[in-house]
Amino acid sequence: MIHLKEVTKIYKENNVLALDKVSLDIERGEFVFIVGTSGSGKSTLMKLLMHEEIATSGSVIVNGKDVTKLKPKEVPYLRRILGVIFQDYRLLEDKTVYENVAFAMQVIEAPRKIMQRSVNTVLDIVGLRDKFKSFPAQLSGGEQQRVAIARAIVNDPRIVIADEPTGNLDPETSWDIMDIFQRINAAGTTIVMATHDKTIVDQMQRRVIEIAGGKIIRDAARGAYSKDEPKKEESPFDRFFFR
């Protein structure tokens, strides 16, 4: 699904080495946390996957294609198989909840009937069907992030890339958002999530890839945020999925 081989990224404008010969494989259906301090290289890694940045050397294979070699006209086709979610939501303020989600389908010129059905379905998934006429400014931060998730999954992507999706949310709302990600992943979608949220990573015990100084320093199948195993305490996630 995702395969990086000897990937190096150097930002020419300031000669910063962001990634240094990184190799990793993420298989279909995995849920992977990318962790590390600010400046470690994790955001660069996410940008390489969605072709916002291009590797200086090495190969970045996403769904069988080397995105480092894509022609400009091929990039939109790559992004059709990706659902991207950001910390700052990036919603269109002059559009309603329904229109924000539908916009992702308008870009690919989906038929109107399919668009209506798909938008309503994903709004049900994120629990916002009753807010379909609301504008972003009328929503809480958690609700705005739910809209962003709905927009990211409405085209049934094979991979969801989430960059700090709970960074601006309170702990309880963060767990609600992770509940949605868990259900998306259970349906077969691969999820790659960069996060600083230690509590979520420790409790979920999914695969953890830690980056420091542009290198992968740890890859744990059922890992915690840090190398030392934490004392696990009950969280809302436990109540949702383990009872």
Side-chain angles (χ1 to χ4, degrees), residues 144-198:
Q144 290 186 60
Q145 191 61 291
R146 288 169 182 261
V147 178
I149 293 172
R151 182 182 58 191
I153 66 174
V154 71
N155 286 323
D156 194 23
R158 299 175 188 179
I159 304 167
V160 167
I161 297 172
D163 193 1
E164 301 287 352
T166 62
N168 290 331
L169 306 177
D170 62 79
E172 184 174 354
T173 303
S174 294
W175 283 113
D176 291 340
I177 295 300
M178 295 311 300
D179 174 23
I180 297 171
F181 280 118
Q182 171 73 5
R183 286 186 278 127
I184 295 169
N185 178 243
T189 302
T190 304
I191 295 180
V192 183
M193 182 182 298
T195 184
H196 282 107
D197 198 320
K198 181 180 185 301

Side-chain angles (χ1 to χ4, degrees), residues 3-239:
H3 307 286
L4 275 66
K5 185 175 181 181
E6 295 288 301
V7 172
T8 293
K9 173 61 180 178
I10 300 172
Y11 289 101
K12 294 181 179 179
E13 57 270 23
N14 51 17
N15 202 37
V16 169
L17 176 62
L19 292 176
D20 185 10
K21 296 182 180 179
V22 168
S23 296
L24 68 86
D25 297 300
I26 297 173
E27 301 303 329
R28 186 183 304 274
E30 282 198 86
F31 193 132
V32 180
F33 288 116
I34 309 295
V35 304
T37 59
S38 296
S40 62
K42 63 183 186 301
S43 291
T44 295
L45 173 60
M46 305 293 271
K47 289 177 180 179
L48 291 178
L49 297 180
M50 65 183 90
H51 204 269
E52 278 197 3
E53 296 287 351
I54 300 174
T56 304
S57 62
S59 59
V60 180
I61 310 296
V62 178
N63 197 44
K65 290 209 176 252
D66 188 343
V67 302
T68 65
K69 298 178 180 179
L70 290 182
K71 299 176 182 178
K73 66 179 181 180
E74 296 176 307
V75 175
Y77 294 96
L78 165 71
R79 292 180 179 168
R80 288 185 186 185
I81 68 163
L82 300 178
V84 182
I85 302 162
F86 302 95
Q87 179 178 348
D88 57 358
Y89 320 134
R90 301 193 186 183
L91 302 179
L92 301 171
E93 295 296 330
D94 61 341
K95 293 185 180 294
T96 64
V97 166
Y98 182 94
E99 291 167 340
N100 263 281
V101 178
F103 183 75
M105 299 197 75
Q106 291 170 350
V107 169
I108 65 170
E109 300 180 344
R112 185 177 180 82
K113 287 186 178 180
I114 293 177
M115 185 187 306
Q116 290 177 333
R117 183 170 62 248
S118 297
V119 172
N120 288 331
T121 296
V122 296
L123 288 179
D124 280 336
I125 290 173
V126 301
L128 286 179
R129 184 73 172 270
D130 61 334
K131 298 286 183 77
F132 76 101
K133 291 184 178 179
S134 299
F135 289 90
Q138 298 172 308
L139 304 176
S140 68
E143 288 170 335
Q144 290 186 60
Q145 191 61 291
R146 288 169 182 261
V147 178
I149 293 172
R151 182 182 58 191
I153 66 174
V154 71
N155 286 323
D156 194 23
R158 299 175 188 179
I159 304 167
V160 167
I161 297 172
D163 193 1
E164 301 287 352
T166 62
N168 290 331
L169 306 177
D170 62 79
E172 184 174 354
T173 303
S174 294
W175 283 113
D176 291 340
I177 295 300
M178 295 311 300
D179 174 23
I180 297 171
F181 280 118
Q182 171 73 5
R183 286 186 278 127
I184 295 169
N185 178 243
T189 302
T190 304
I191 295 180
V192 183
M193 182 182 298
T195 184
H196 282 107
D197 198 320
K198 181 180 185 301
T199 301
I200 284 175
V201 176
D202 288 349
Q203 293 291 342
M204 289 187 63
Q205 294 286 294
R206 295 303 190 106
R207 183 180 174 189
V208 176
I209 296 174
E210 183 176 0
I211 300 179
K215 293 178 176 288
I216 293 177
I217 62 171
R218 180 168 58 100
D219 188 344
R222 292 180 62 83
Y225 189 88
S226 58
K227 186 175 182 180
D228 295 330
E229 188 71 20
K231 180 181 179 181
K232 188 171 182 180
E233 298 176 355
E234 186 182 61
S235 72
F237 183 83
D238 294 306
R239 293 197 291 274

